[in-house]
Amino acid sequence: MHTRITQLFGIQHPIIQGGMHFVGLAELAAAVSNAGGLGTITGLTQRTPKDLAHEIARCRDMTDKPFAVNLTFLPTVTSPDYPGYVKAIIQGGVTVVETAGRNPQQVLPYLKDAGIKVIHKCTSVRHALKAQEIGCDAVSVDGFECGGHPGEDDIPNMILLPRAADELEIPFVSSGGQADARSLVASLAMGAEGMNMGTRFMATVEAPIHQNVKDAIVAASELDTRLIMRPLRNTERVLNNAAVERVLALEAAKGADISFEDIAADVAGVYPKVMIDGDMEIGAWSCGMVAGLIHDIPTCQQLIDRIMAEADQIIRGRLAGML
């Protein structure tokens, strides 16, 4: 399948693995890229730029295909060493960077001068237009269904993707609620040039996370996620568990008086304990509503091959047959 995204990034299939904290390691990124998609290393999971350089080198040893690095710009008191991370990305020969969070304008000149293509993750059309204005090559349009941070507009992809198609000139991919061939074909029909999957790639053989996490995603339905930190305007979609229930109870009790410190124990620094140790109740962790469409744990090659084969059947068979 040929789209503006496959052409832009030099990949076989218009499928991207999104950056995910303590999930996007070299093993997963290489497996996705080897299967014809675009794998992504999560930059800030690596504690230092030196660690990221090592992770890029590990990925390079496992694939000769293009892969990306995610760089999320966070509103923090102590900022990560972004210049160091950018240097590691450039020196590592990475060809694609997925930016997320705050405006990435500060690093764009360095990435562009190195010939790196930049795709920025956005949760609204206005943010996508800003990304286009500052020179991003593509955007990932993140609907309300997504795991992690869906923004504060609550617009699902059935509306958000066509709106993006109406406004944007640069290519974009769908993100949030993407799991299978139906997701891909629907995204293409609404104007996207491919799709970005996060939660779906967590439930794969190569995802370097505890089996408990994969099993929890497979067991979950579309009704099992919750939205936390809404009063703080830092909304996050997570899989429900005991910690999430504690957070929701505190938010309900304190209302507008709640502070991050009130819930920090259940939301900050929990990812190693969840993803590595497999403690499913220790804290809140991002998961999309798309868990309701995930019923198995294939290899990345099996997953992408299945998506592309079924997409071909939908387009050539079901849709063409309606004409």
Side-chain angles (χ1 to χ4, degrees):
M1 183 179 288
H2 303 286
T3 74
R4 293 167 71 193
I5 283 293
T6 62
Q7 182 178 4
L8 181 66
F9 296 145
I11 56 179
Q12 183 181 1
H13 305 306
I15 297 174
I16 297 173
Q17 168 242 319
M20 295 172 283
H21 204 34
F22 281 89
V23 181
L25 303 182
E27 291 85 354
L28 180 58
V32 172
S33 290
N34 283 333
L38 183 70
T40 303
I41 294 170
T42 307
L44 296 188
T45 294
Q46 305 303 317
R47 294 175 63 87
T48 68
K50 183 178 179 180
D51 292 333
L52 177 58
H54 175 69
E55 197 68 11
I56 291 169
R58 284 209 312 126
C59 193
R60 185 76 64 204
D61 286 342
M62 289 185 269
T63 184
D64 59 359
K65 305 290 179 62
F67 60 88
V69 171
N70 165 278
L71 201 55
T72 298
F73 295 90
L74 302 169
T76 57
V77 175
T78 304
S79 178
D81 180 10
Y82 286 116
Y85 284 108
V86 169
K87 184 177 180 181
I89 288 167
I90 293 171
Q91 292 183 343
V94 175
T95 58
V96 182
V97 166
E98 177 194 62
T99 55
R102 290 189 165 182
N103 190 320
Q105 191 166 11
Q106 59 181 315
V107 303
L108 279 183
Y110 305 100
L111 298 175
K112 303 288 277 188
D113 286 348
I116 295 171
K117 303 299 184 185
V118 178
I119 179 169
H120 186 61
K121 183 170 284 190
C122 308
T123 59
S124 71
V125 173
R126 65 184 180 280
H127 293 153
L129 287 169
K130 183 62 176 180
Q132 176 176 273
E133 178 187 328
I134 65 175
C136 292
D137 299 284
V139 290
S140 177
V141 178
D142 225 5
F144 184 55
E145 308 93 326
C146 73
H149 299 280
E152 307 301 324
D153 292 344
D154 300 358
I155 308 299
N157 269 327
M158 282 292 287
I159 307 300
L160 192 58
L161 297 179
R163 282 288 299 118
D166 287 344
E167 300 286 346
L168 291 171
E169 296 177 6
I170 59 174
F172 67 95
V173 299
S174 61
S175 183
Q178 313 304 309
D180 54 29
R182 297 169 297 184
S183 309
L184 177 58
V185 175
S187 296
L188 296 174
M190 288 187 283
E193 303 283 340
M195 68 178 179
N196 177 304
M197 299 194 301
T199 304
R200 172 67 269 197
F201 276 123
M202 292 176 71
T204 57
V205 170
E206 295 91 346
I209 58 179
H210 200 282
Q211 188 65 35
N212 288 354
V213 182
K214 302 179 187 184
D215 291 342
I217 292 171
V218 171
S221 82
E222 66 275 15
L223 303 175
D224 291 325
T225 67
R226 299 290 184 269
L227 295 170
I228 61 172
M229 297 192 287
R230 302 228 83 178
L232 301 174
R233 293 191 63 77
N234 187 30
T235 301
E236 182 179 8
R237 186 178 297 282
V238 297
L239 193 68
N240 196 26
N241 62 17
V244 170
E245 292 292 344
R246 288 195 297 270
V247 171
L248 291 172
L250 269 172
E251 290 179 349
K254 294 206 168 192
D257 294 328
I258 194 146
S259 68
F260 181 76
E261 288 70 27
D262 293 325
I263 59 173
D266 286 320
V267 300
V270 302
Y271 270 76
K273 298 172 185 176
V274 175
M275 300 299 166
I276 298 172
D277 299 339
D279 189 335
M280 294 290 90
E281 303 297 327
I282 192 68
W285 54 280
S286 296
C287 180
M289 295 172 75
V290 75
L293 298 177
I294 298 172
H295 309 300
D296 62 355
I297 304 173
T299 66
C300 290
Q301 186 75 61
Q302 290 168 338
L303 176 61
I304 291 178
D305 284 351
R306 182 171 71 198
I307 289 171
M308 297 313 301
E310 292 179 359
D312 186 86
Q313 292 171 3
I314 293 170
I315 295 168
R316 295 181 190 273
R318 187 168 190 270
L319 297 183
M322 292 178 175
L323 297 176

